[in-house]
């Protein structure tokens, strides 16, 4: 019988996950279908009950349900539990188990572009949900030094305090970050600043960026944010949010099917959908 997979969120109409996963099912000869469901917050519990009744094989969870889903599941992976957010659910013999592949997808994307991640000095901009998944996963992986800067410093302090994995971290102001930028090997931008339609928004000045730095922005619309454009002009290597999106999807697909999908194929499908250049 055809297996059912899904993504739940609200809004969900523009999700690229159905296209990406359905293409993979077809490509790998797996008899399954992936469907997007717009679920209101007050309907989340009923939706999960419905999924159980239908014996759904797995689903992704996106905004605004990533935190609320946890109490409705039968088990949660330790890293996802410490992050406090689940984006992937797997039906393991009738038990719905939650995982977080956002952080691990991000780290996989980063590792595909650079060597020796654990010894690098990292600066992270932002302290929201995405930053939390990325910071916790980097610390979990053993990255030794991760400084944070955020508009609201107390949120960055709380994020570091709540992380059960150790990394050396200073909370610095945006001005300090700009002044000390040459000290960092990797800059990770996790806020919504620079996202379309406010793509002219400036996150921080890259005046002091070193040429050998790696600058990563989790935004993929536009494909090249103002920050990445400036980083490129300074000679730095850059990465946009496409690979994080693709890798989180690939890790979810692997958990569901035990098949590690073709990353290049997934990237091309997503870029096609976004109307970008096909690599
Ligand atoms: P997400 O789950 O996508 O990370 P979030 O939890 O709302 O979203 O976090 C948004 C991040 O972007 C935060 O770091 C936020 O800064 P604050 O903690 O100070 O709110 C940052 N952010 C959003 N809009 C911003 C702005 N106009 N200027 C500076 N930072 C901004």
């Amino acid at each position: 019988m055809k297996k059912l997979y899904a993504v739940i969120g609200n809004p969900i109409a523009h999700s690229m996950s159905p296209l990406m996963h359905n293409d993979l099912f077809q490509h790998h000869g797996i008899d399954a279908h992936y469907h997007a469901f717009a679920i209101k917050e007050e309907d989340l519990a009923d939706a999960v009950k419905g999924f159980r009744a239908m014996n759904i094989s797995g689903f992704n969870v996106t905004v605004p349900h990533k935190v609320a889903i946890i109490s409705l599941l039968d088990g949660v992976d330790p890293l996802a539990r410490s992050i406090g957010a689940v984006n992937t659910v797997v039906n393991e013999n009738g038990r719905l188990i939650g995982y977080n592949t956002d952080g691990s997808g991000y780290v996989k994307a980063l590792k595909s572009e650079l060597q020796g991640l654990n010894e690098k000095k990292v600066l992270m901009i932002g302290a929201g949900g995405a930053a939390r998944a990325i910071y916790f996963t980097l610390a979990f992986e053993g990255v030794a030094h991760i400084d944070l800067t955020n508009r609201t410093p107390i949120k960055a302090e709380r994020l570091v305090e709540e992380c059960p994995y150790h990394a050396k971290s200073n909370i610095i102001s945006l001005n300090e970050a700009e002044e000390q930028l040459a000290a960092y090997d990797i800059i990770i931008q996790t806020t919504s600043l620079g996202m379309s339609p406010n793509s002219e928004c400036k996150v921080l000045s890259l005046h002091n960026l070193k040429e050998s730095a790696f600058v990563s922005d989790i935004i993929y619309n536009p494909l090249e944010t103002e920050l990445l454009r400036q980083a490129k002009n300074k000679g730095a290597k850059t990465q946009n949010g496409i690979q994080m999106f693709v890798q989180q999807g690939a890790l979810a697909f692997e958990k569901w099917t035990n098949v590690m999908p073709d990353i290049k194929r997934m990237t091309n499908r997503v870029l096609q959908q976004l109307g970008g250049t096909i690599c």
Side-chain angles (χ1 to χ4, degrees), residues 189-247:
Q189 199 300 110
T190 71
T191 77
S192 47
L193 286 175
M195 195 188 289
S196 181
N198 302 312
S199 44
E200 75 294 336
C201 262
K202 207 161 151 267
V203 185
L204 87 167
S205 159
L206 296 184
H207 188 71
N208 292 324
L209 184 76
K210 62 178 178 186
E211 203 183 310
S212 61
F214 185 88
V215 181
S216 158
D217 196 323
I218 67 165
I219 293 172
Y220 55 76
N221 185 17
L223 287 171
E224 187 172 85
T225 58
E226 183 56 24
L227 184 82
L228 293 190
R229 195 186 65 78
Q230 287 184 18
K232 247 186 205 169
N233 282 345
K234 298 276 291 179
K237 261 186 101 177
T238 61
Q239 185 176 56
N240 65 21
I242 293 283
Q243 279 312 306
M244 175 181 180
F245 175 71
V246 165
Q247 293 285 3

Side-chain angles (χ1 to χ4, degrees), residues 3 5 51-52 55-58 74-75 89-99 255-256 258:
K3 290 183 170 178
Y5 294 89
F51 279 168
R52 286 183 190 278
N55 195 30
I56 195 165
S57 298
D74 302 311
V89 177
V90 184
N91 184 336
E92 296 176 10
N93 303 315
R95 296 181 75 234
L96 296 181
I97 310 296
Y99 296 89
K255 286 189 186 305
W256 293 330
N258 289 320

Side-chain angles (χ1 to χ4, degrees), residues 243 246 261-271 279:
Q243 279 312 306
V246 165
D262 180 344
I263 299 297
K264 191 138 194 221
R265 181 183 178 91
M266 296 172 79
T267 308
N268 281 340
R269 292 301 278 134
V270 170
L271 285 175
C279 57

Side-chain angles (χ1 to χ4, degrees), residues 121-122 135 143-147 160 166-170:
K121 195 167 172 189
V122 178
Y135 180 93
V143 177
H145 194 131
I146 316 164
D147 287 350
V160 171
H166 182 73
K168 183 175 177 306
S169 294
N170 297 311

Side-chain angles (χ1 to χ4, degrees), residues 106-116 120 214-216 237-240 243 247:
Y106 179 81
V107 172
K108 219 170 164 198
L110 205 55
K111 281 186 171 167
S112 73
E113 292 289 338
L114 50 87
Q115 313 265 313
K120 305 282 189 207
F214 185 88
V215 181
S216 158
K237 261 186 101 177
T238 61
Q239 185 176 56
N240 65 21
Q243 279 312 306
Q247 293 285 3

